[in-house]
Amino acid sequence: MQPLRQPLPASRRGNPLPAAPLLALLLLLLALQEAAGAPAGSGGPEDSGWRQDTELPRQLLSQAARVALHFFNFRAGSPSALRMLAEVQESRAWINQKKERKVDLVFTTELYNPEEGNKRLGKCSARVFFRNEKPRPAVNVTCAQLIEKKKRHEEDYQLYKRMKQLQNPVDVVSIPDNHGHIDPSLKPIWDLAFLGSSYVMWEKTTQFLHYYMAQLSRVKQWKTNDDAIDFGYTVLLHEFSTQEIIPCHIHLVWYPGKPLKVKYHCQEVQTPEEASGTEEGSAVAPTELSNF
Amino acid sequence: MKPLLGTFYILGMLVPGGLGYDRSLAQHRQEVVDETVSPRRSLETYSYNRYHPMEEVYQWMSQIREKYTEVVTQHFLGMTYESRPMYCLKISQPSDNPKKIIWMDCGIHAREWIAPAFCQWFVKEILQNYKDNSRIRRLLKNLDFYVLPVLNIDGYIYTWTTDRLWRKSRSSHNNGTCFGTDLNRNFNASWCSIGASHNCQELTFCGTGPVSEPETKAVSSFIESKKENIVCFLTMHSYGQLILLPYGYTTNKPSNHEELIQVGQKAANALKAKHGTNYRVGSSADILYATSGSSRDWAWDIGIPFSYTFELRDNGTYGFVLPEAQIQATCEEAMEAVLSVLDDVYEKYWHSNSAEKATSTAVVLSLLMSFMSLL
């Protein structure tokens, strides 16, 4: 029996079935195959042979949500409105021959710094495109507004003022300290550091490696002038699944409402082939988008 | 160096480099430094809501043994790489009943401080409540608990003195140029086949061979010697909020996978009921990543039916450096989960219902057989 996927020639020997209904069936099959392979509701990259990935490990879904949030937090540039992942609600994943993965997600978020007694959940949808082992996944993310824009600006400005009032904290070594304690007066530093680290964590994430901020190990430089906070620090990133701790030196410049500027280099001390290496990157966040 | 604790050297904890705190790390924790300088504290003032350095854990173990001498004994397992004694506490209600064993270890990875905190919490809860809490009293009728509060003692001390985020042991390799084996890759369970490294520089270094490390040997031999009676093996880690079943070294499932999932899920539900925290349940290879040489997989493979890894709080916000303010809630909810597992284990081996079920099933079957013979 001829395989149905082969285009049927008009007249063939020995085929007991009439050609016309078979052709209709073939067209139907092709249409179904295309519908399954195409990204839902959008005109994403239709070629490159995307097929649905039903074996996607659950872990990769939360990783995708987290990296989307790192990107979102960086772009929002707002240390008082940082978000963290609550729960992945819906997902769909595709994989192609090059083993690249595309993940569509709907997930809920919580505020990193929740308001007293108010643990509202925000909803986000994202598409994350992992380029196999390469870092810097492409992220498209939109989140429903959790905090009113004006309030967010105000809180950022309050944070900025509190930071300006801090003495130059050269004595501060670890935030949090080894017992997990962050002095309330130093919390703004942690939040700003997390904002800068979000950029770094997004850039470094691959399908196989993802990151958490383990500890702020050193505050190196701290200048505030009328325009901005100029902040240099070293953050220790925890890398999954190697379990490594990666020190990254980050330098950022921030002013409420203005795009965040980040420069960094990370020490990769554990790669077997090289004795050590550094990874550098820098960015300026685009001007505020109106979708949040 | 700054030897702060001269009296505690009795226990043979001379370490190259001394045991003093790195002052600059203790900037914000002046009160902790003061505590460790103060003389021998009593058990009444021991705070289960703080993290304790190893000297205090050793002291706590002796005090527990002294205070609860009717049910607690201390057992020597072996010496660590840096020649420190490894002790576990056995909690056992004297009786004529045959006993099965529950094993719990904490702190196989040095930086996971919440784990040893939980082991201490667990012991405290059992001992403070076994007389008047019927649930715990029932468990102790037929179960003995063996608790190892800190497995990777050398590494744990190193996180207090030198590097808070150290993970491995402190064994020396490559002519003293590289330190530490990942003890949870060193057990004899598909050793170093996947998810582990032969390179000492890496944090998942599996050691020079299966059970190459003294700490692994100490635990393995002890468990091996009692394996006929061990029904439950629990190993506590952080972070991730997970209850993991075997295997890590393969996606194949152990023969009692369904049962393990059921018991695990029930435990996660009990945990969530306490403070609303979500823990996920699944086999390690499915929901975490592939690993080989883990103690949990090894325990299952030698015949211990209920073998779980707990990854305690949190989900990455603070990670290994979980605030002390969260110790209580983390331990309370984890306690519910562990008790839930123990209840299920108890039901399986001793509850009268299972005997009744067996009897009634036998009755039905014999009725059926006799009915069929009439046809």
Side-chain angles (χ1 to χ4, degrees), chain B residues 35-232:
Chain B
E35 275 171 15
T36 50
V37 171
S38 64
R40 215 175 146 87
R41 282 205 302 333
S42 80
L43 204 52
E44 271 65 44
T45 57
Y46 193 80
S47 174
Y48 292 93
N49 290 335
R50 311 290 288 273
Y51 296 118
H52 293 275
M54 198 60 212
E55 317 82 77
E56 290 180 8
V57 178
Y58 275 125
Q59 186 192 101
W60 168 82
M61 282 199 276
S62 325
Q63 289 172 329
I64 288 279
R65 203 176 69 234
E66 280 163 27
K67 175 164 185 182
Y68 295 99
T69 175
E70 69 280 11
V71 288
V72 177
T73 46
Q74 187 171 287
H75 295 254
F76 176 76
L77 302 175
M79 300 293 272
T80 67
Y81 185 84
E82 288 176 336
S83 303
R84 297 188 178 91
M86 295 172 66
Y87 296 117
C88 70
L89 292 173
K90 175 185 178 184
I91 305 175
S92 173
Q93 178 80 280
S95 89
D96 296 324
N97 290 341
K99 303 283 193 72
K100 290 290 183 187
I101 294 172
I102 309 290
W103 166 272
M104 183 190 296
D105 66 75
C106 297
I108 194 172
H109 289 140
R111 57 196 181 194
E112 299 167 10
W113 284 14
I114 186 62
F118 176 72
C119 266
Q120 293 167 67
W121 183 280
F122 178 81
V123 166
K124 173 256 295 182
E125 281 296 306
I126 298 293
L127 294 175
Q128 282 181 356
N129 295 303
Y130 79 96
K131 286 193 177 140
D132 36 28
N133 180 313
S134 56
R135 187 187 193 185
I136 296 177
R137 211 173 45 231
R138 178 180 91 140
L139 293 173
L140 280 175
K141 259 196 341 188
N142 290 99
L143 295 170
D144 287 344
F145 298 127
Y146 284 80
V147 180
L148 173 55
V150 183
L151 197 157
N152 180 5
I153 296 173
D154 298 344
Y156 186 66
I157 291 176
Y158 196 72
T159 60
W160 280 81
T161 60
T162 314
D163 180 355
R164 174 61 177 85
L165 296 173
W166 188 258
R167 167 184 168 90
K168 302 187 287 180
S169 69
R170 290 296 300 164
S171 54
S172 167
H173 303 274
N174 305 347
N175 270 329
T177 60
C178 182
F179 290 87
T181 297
D182 184 342
L183 296 174
N184 205 34
R185 301 287 185 277
N186 189 240
F187 283 78
N188 195 7
S190 192
W191 178 78
C192 227
S193 58
I194 190 171
S197 170
H198 284 286
N199 179 354
C200 172
Q201 305 276 353
E202 298 196 15
L203 293 220
T204 55
F205 175 51
C206 53
T208 50
V211 204
S212 59
E213 304 305 304
E215 295 88 352
T216 324
K217 273 198 194 50
V219 172
S220 293
S221 334
F222 188 80
I223 304 262
E224 192 79 55
S225 70
K226 300 191 183 305
K227 68 179 177 191
E228 267 71 51
N229 289 322
I230 305 180
V231 288
C232 187

Side-chain angles (χ1 to χ4, degrees), chain A residues 58-59 66 112 173-174 177-180 182 186 212 214 236 238 240-245 270 272, chain B residues 24-25 28-29 111 113 160 164-165 167 201-203 239 280 287 289 315-317 320-324:
Chain A
R58 174 103 205 134
Q59 192 67 353
R66 288 206 169 89
Y112 196 68
V173 179
S174 298
D177 69 14
N178 288 342
H179 295 245
I182 301 179
L186 300 175
Y212 298 92
L236 299 174
H238 177 211
F240 265 78
S241 57
T242 61
Q243 295 297 335
E244 297 292 344
I245 301 294
Q270 307 296 346
Chain B
S24 59
L25 290 174
H28 294 286
R29 304 298 300 171
R111 57 196 181 194
W113 284 14
W160 280 81
R164 174 61 177 85
L165 296 173
R167 167 184 168 90
Q201 305 276 353
E202 298 196 15
L203 293 220
Y239 55 94
R280 285 183 298 133
I287 69 172
Y289 43 73
N315 248 331
T317 310
F320 300 119
V321 201
L322 190 72
E324 283 179 323

